[in-house]
Amino acid sequence: MNKVYAVLYPIIWIYMRIFHPWRAVGVENVPEGAALICGNHSTLGDPLYVVCCLGWRKQVHVMAKEEIMKWPVLGFLLKKAGIFGVKRGKADVGALKEAMRILRGGEKLLMFPEGTRVRDGEDSEARTGAAMFATRTGAPILPVYIPTKKRRFRRTTVVFGEPYHPEFEGRKPTPEDYQRIADELMERIRTLKERAA
């Protein structure tokens, strides 16, 4: 158990419970061991909702944009807590290796396949990173829907779907397979929206 994560968790929990309360639906779908948790992304606080829903015992690593890791003090603490940065728009080999190390080690990784925050009505294309991590490590994908509209002091319902293993033909997935898997993942996430009402 990561000690820094364990220390930060109750602080985050108290803050979120007061200002951004949550309700978790389908959290029983979270598997034991490795899992690639993938959600839609509309606000900076989305990872905090997922972390709080999972609870203190289900620690999760988070793939975040590299800029956050450079914030004074907070960036240092996040890194110590198991969060790591990724250079967006580039082939960040270090981040890719770290993600696969986490999953192969039987741990949980949270990432947002769209690669950036996307608000209602905006178009986005799913990146293929999650598809690659899942097919290369054998870890199941767990889709999560986080409502895009959140109001302070009002409860936000976070919906966890069922874990699944993406399918593909042949020995190795092709770039087309990766994109198809990524598009399917985003569709699975969107279908959870109705359960968040």
Side-chain angles (χ1 to χ4, degrees), residues 3-197:
K3 292 181 180 178
V4 177
Y5 189 105
V7 170
L8 291 178
Y9 183 87
I11 299 171
I12 293 169
W13 190 95
I14 292 170
Y15 167 80
M16 292 292 287
R17 182 55 73 187
I18 295 172
F19 296 103
H20 301 281
W22 70 89
R23 179 173 74 102
V25 173
V27 74
E28 67 277 3
N29 292 329
V30 180
E32 294 297 325
L36 182 57
I37 303 172
C38 296
N40 59 306
H41 193 24
S42 60
T43 64
L44 195 61
D46 288 334
L48 301 182
Y49 283 100
V50 176
V51 165
C52 288
C53 288
L54 291 176
W56 182 70
R57 294 187 180 278
K58 288 188 172 70
Q59 293 194 4
V60 60
H61 296 266
V62 182
M63 178 182 281
K65 62 179 182 179
E66 188 186 39
E67 292 84 348
I68 292 176
M69 309 310 295
K70 295 178 180 178
W71 290 355
V73 183
L74 182 59
F76 173 79
L77 290 173
L78 292 176
K79 186 175 181 180
K80 290 293 184 182
I83 288 81
F84 64 99
V86 59
K87 298 183 181 76
R88 295 186 297 179
K90 300 178 181 179
D92 190 338
V93 177
L96 300 180
K97 288 183 177 179
E98 178 64 9
M100 288 194 281
R101 182 196 68 78
I102 289 166
L103 294 170
R104 286 173 175 156
E107 299 180 83
K108 292 175 175 53
L109 173 64
L110 169 63
M111 66 179 295
F112 299 96
E114 292 163 303
T116 188
R117 281 174 278 172
V118 179
R119 292 171 176 79
D120 271 341
E122 294 181 346
D123 292 327
S124 69
E125 183 176 295
R127 310 284 176 87
T128 57
M132 183 182 68
F133 297 150
T135 54
R136 289 192 181 183
T137 66
I141 297 177
L142 180 71
V144 180
Y145 177 77
I146 307 158
T148 56
K149 294 180 181 178
K150 308 171 185 72
R151 297 176 65 185
R152 187 169 291 186
F153 306 116
R154 297 292 182 88
R155 192 169 62 180
T156 296
T157 299
V158 179
V159 183
F160 292 81
E162 295 186 3
Y164 72 100
H165 293 275
E167 298 180 353
F168 59 92
E169 295 181 1
R171 293 180 59 191
K172 291 183 179 181
T174 64
E176 290 75 21
D177 287 327
Y178 284 142
Q179 190 60 59
R180 176 184 53 76
I181 292 169
D183 292 340
E184 179 193 359
L185 168 57
M186 290 310 304
E187 185 58 33
R188 285 177 180 250
I189 291 170
R190 294 185 190 104
T191 59
L192 298 174
K193 181 177 181 178
E194 61 187 40
R195 296 175 59 191

